[in-house]
Amino acid sequence: MTLWLIMERRVPTREQAHGVWASLYRLGGLLGPTGALASAAFAAYLIGAMLMVRVATVNVQEARKTAWLRNMQTAFRPRVSRLAFDDLIHFLQAQGRVLVPTPEEARDPRQEQSQRGLVNLVARDVLGETRQLRIKLLIANYDLFNEYDRAVGEAEFRKNVAYSLIGLAAALSWLYSPWWALMLVVSFRLYVAGVGSERIANDVIIEAVVAGLLEPATLTGAAGLPAVPVERGP
């Protein structure tokens, strides 16, 4: 629709058409309205497939590159709920991968921030293995995989429609009236809903790891990441 609004004034009428446009008009006459509509829908599908934005978290390599940004860890927090994040903290503490803070450390905001920053990186690395873990989840628990797949589908649909509406609002505002920019409210609301669905999908992966259904390479050491200290230093 956005492309049509931009190009419509440049498309000649049937009487004025020549060359390629005349050929397309003749082809439309041969196909009929139904065939022309189906062809246009298929072309729109191809364009959408090429421009579609996939819901994907940062991969292990990118997480490794940002690991040195200790003072900016909160800015790289993955999209997971607070409940799933706390469950991951307790899981890592139970395994000895993250130290259990002493009462003095628990009252120290800097120590707490450092611990949560470390768990941020672990969560990012785990979610970076989503392509592999989703196959393992399908084998381990089909119903849980369906929940994950549904959330991913909803997130991708909502976020891509939001992006498309941004382009449509920009075209309408440029061609007709700035008031069409109000459509961005709908786009923003859809994007927020997509982020919520993405968070649900990430929660499924994190909770599956906590429940022992999945063993990511990040925690088994197969990813080659530096080990988390188990004991306190002097």
Side-chain angles (χ1 to χ4, degrees):
M1 187 181 296
T2 303
L3 289 175
W4 172 253
L5 289 173
I6 295 174
M7 297 179 58
E8 187 264 339
R9 298 180 182 181
R10 297 176 175 83
V11 176
T13 62
R14 183 183 295 271
E15 293 75 18
Q16 298 173 336
H18 62 276
V20 175
W21 288 113
S23 298
L24 291 176
Y25 274 119
R26 288 194 295 271
L27 178 61
L30 293 174
L31 295 177
T34 303
L37 180 61
S39 300
F42 183 69
Y45 166 77
L46 291 179
I47 295 173
M50 290 186 293
L51 300 179
M52 182 177 179
V53 177
R54 297 287 182 182
V55 172
T57 55
V58 66
N59 59 39
V60 176
Q61 295 296 330
E62 291 172 337
R64 200 177 301 170
K65 292 176 183 178
T66 60
W68 60 275
L69 296 172
R70 298 297 179 183
N71 60 334
M72 297 178 61
Q73 287 170 351
T74 54
F76 296 106
R77 179 171 178 176
R79 285 172 176 159
V80 296
S81 68
R82 180 66 178 268
L83 179 61
F85 189 79
D86 290 341
D87 287 344
L88 180 62
I89 291 178
H90 298 321
F91 172 76
L92 295 174
Q93 288 176 344
Q95 285 198 338
R97 298 177 184 274
V98 172
L99 299 175
V100 179
T102 63
E104 293 77 13
E105 292 174 337
R107 291 191 294 266
D108 187 354
R110 292 178 299 177
Q111 186 70 22
E112 181 182 1
Q113 183 181 5
S114 176
Q115 181 195 52
R116 299 187 72 87
L118 178 60
V119 179
N120 280 341
L121 294 177
V122 174
R124 285 168 58 86
D125 285 353
V126 169
L127 294 174
E129 300 178 44
T130 299
R131 289 188 177 181
Q132 296 82 7
L133 294 179
R134 68 194 306 268
I135 303 300
K136 295 181 180 179
L137 184 62
L138 175 61
I139 298 172
N141 192 309
Y142 182 74
D143 293 334
L144 198 58
F145 172 82
N146 281 340
E147 178 68 18
Y148 166 81
D149 194 55
R150 179 190 61 80
V152 169
E154 290 179 355
E156 290 183 346
F157 174 78
R158 292 169 179 174
K159 294 179 88 172
N160 280 279
V161 172
Y163 297 144
S164 300
L165 285 178
I166 292 176
L168 181 60
L172 289 170
S173 300
W174 174 49
L175 294 172
Y176 298 104
S177 170
W179 286 102
W180 283 104
L182 293 175
M183 189 183 296
L184 293 175
V185 176
V186 180
S187 178
F188 176 76
R189 184 65 187 86
L190 276 174
Y191 181 83
V192 171
V195 170
S197 296
E198 184 180 358
R199 184 177 291 110
I200 292 174
N202 290 340
D203 282 359
V204 172
I205 297 295
I206 295 297
E207 295 294 357
V209 171
V210 171
L213 295 175
L214 300 175
E215 290 188 357
T218 298
L219 300 182
T220 60
L225 296 177
V228 179
V230 179
E231 298 180 356
R232 300 180 184 275

